[in-house]
Amino acid sequence: EDSSIFLNAINSVDRLGPWAMTFSFSRANQSSALKAWKGKKENVEAAQKALLARAQANSEASKGKYVAGSQPSDQESLYVKNY
């Protein structure tokens, strides 16, 4: 969720050029899906839904149109101090 919110904030600011600001969100996308999956076959559908939700959120954020909390998320920050 944090990544989507930050990316949205970046893309909500008027820019001088025609390009969109994006970044690699693989960790942010995968985190919710991996937590939902837990390595269990019966959780595959839930993991796919979590991945789709994060992809949708980041797609909207890359256009500056994401509304925080509008897509499901585990809400856990991925920040690692001194990484």
Side-chain angles (χ1 to χ4, degrees):
E1 180 72 3
D2 288 348
S3 298
S4 301
I5 292 168
F6 296 145
L7 180 61
N8 189 72
I10 291 167
N11 283 305
S12 295
V13 176
D14 289 334
R15 297 183 288 279
L16 296 177
W19 53 86
M21 178 66 72
T22 62
F23 55 82
S24 172
F25 339 61
S26 60
R27 186 168 165 232
N29 276 335
Q30 293 171 5
S31 178
S32 294
L34 289 172
K35 286 178 184 174
W37 176 47
K38 300 177 187 171
K40 297 180 180 178
K41 188 175 183 178
E42 62 269 20
N43 295 336
V44 169
E45 186 176 346
Q48 290 172 334
K49 287 180 180 179
L51 181 61
L52 181 61
R54 294 317 325 143
Q56 180 66 40
N58 290 327
S59 173
E60 293 168 5
S62 71
K63 300 170 191 163
K65 298 181 184 289
Y66 179 62
V67 176
S70 65
Q71 294 292 337
S73 171
D74 64 15
Q75 295 290 325
E76 185 176 322
S77 178
L78 299 177
Y79 174 75
V80 178
K81 187 176 180 178
N82 299 322
Y83 179 72

